[in-house]
Amino acid sequence: MPTALITGATAGIGAAFARRLAADGFSLVLVARDEKRLVSVAEELRLRYGVSSEVLAADLVTDEGLEAVERRLGEGVDLLVNNAGFGHQGHFLDVPAEEELRMLKLHCEAVLRLTLAALPGMRARDRGAVINVASVAAFFTRGSYSASKAWVVNFSESTAIEMAGTRVRVMALCPGFVHTEFHERASMDKSGIPEFFWLSADNVVREAMRDLARGVRVSIPDLRYKVIVRVGRLLPLGLIGQFSRRLARR
């Protein structure tokens, strides 16, 4: 039975990955900070899908948490989903520096370290995959969040090229607005975002797994966001920045 380790596994896209992979017959390693909630999710998956779920409570903005997950990855997994992340309310200059550093620790250092912990075993077995959850924001300019997600995309593409010639795949997943707890946790007002732009986490995961099977290196779920990114790449950077600022004010 293949094994998948998912960070940020108790809600949103992480929980959707857990459901999809459990249905596909994966044994799961669920990682998040809240152990009580992890246990509850693991029990739900066991009852619904009959799969075993290992619970690993870890705060990935701490070295202790990262080291615990690195050790587990060193034991071997077939799929790593680096999904844990968060956003900030407000403009860059209004956010305390320590909060910006926490974001970089989680979005960049954790993705780097956990990918590096998983890949040697995958390469030795000549099979496996890493999905790094980024965002459509990676293709636009909006503070440190979009900058960190742009790093995830570039890192994932570069690592995928490093794995060329093997059966190990690395993919960046770049969803748009998704109905999850993400915005509530950041105290963000969602009322200014039209319903047209919202995606479901389950649909995002379904498209991600399809793209992974096809060998896609950067997955952008849903046609509407593929068009937005394609158009955005053709526009001047200054114009994109103005659009991003106006959207943020809304």
Side-chain angles (χ1 to χ4, degrees), residues 24-25 36 52 55 59 74 81 168 204 208 210 237:
D24 288 347
K36 183 177 179 180
S52 63
V55 168
D59 186 348
V81 181
V168 178
V204 166
R210 181 199 64 191
L237 188 60

Side-chain angles (χ1 to χ4, degrees), residues 6 22 44 77 149 167:
I6 307 165
E44 289 176 11
V77 300
K149 292 303 185 179
R167 291 190 297 170

